[in-house]
Amino acid sequence: MKTIADLVGPDSLLCASPHHHKLIRGRLFGLFSTSSLSSFVKLFDALVLDAMSNWSGGSIVVIQEEALKLACKTMCMRKPQLVVGETKEP
């Protein structure tokens, strides 16, 4: 069985100590409004559903690769100068 660090890498925010996680969360919290978070959740949910619809039954899915694709698409789509649908695969 793999640990979270094995799956996402030792430098991932998911591997931060509770103390550092609290510091990071406190610093970033003020950057996001309720409406911003709401639109992000809707966008991310749509991207996850779209990605999952492309998975075929019985195939192997590498979660780390899929998560990276989703993160890249999300970042690109959140940029105001980019048009939705013109995102590039990582």
Side-chain angles (χ1 to χ4, degrees):
M1 181 185 287
K2 292 187 176 189
T3 66
I4 290 293
D6 292 335
L7 295 173
V8 298
D11 297 324
S12 171
L13 291 176
L14 293 174
C15 296
S17 69
H19 172 73
H20 286 118
H21 180 82
K22 187 174 182 178
L23 286 173
I24 293 166
R25 185 175 175 202
R27 301 290 193 282
L28 295 177
F29 185 74
L31 299 175
F32 303 98
S33 67
T34 304
S35 61
S36 172
L37 288 175
S38 176
S39 68
F40 171 77
V41 168
K42 289 175 186 172
L43 169 65
F44 199 76
D45 189 47
L47 289 172
V48 168
L49 291 174
D50 182 56
M52 290 175 64
S53 70
N54 295 322
W55 299 349
S56 58
S59 65
I60 295 175
V61 176
V62 180
I63 296 298
Q64 187 172 7
E65 289 175 12
E66 294 298 319
L68 180 60
K69 288 179 192 176
L70 285 173
C72 289
K73 283 183 182 181
T74 303
M75 287 186 286
C76 290
M77 293 175 87
R78 299 285 290 174
K79 297 277 186 188
Q81 69 271 22
L82 294 178
V83 177
V84 175
E86 292 185 2
T87 58
K88 305 243 188 237
E89 291 292 326

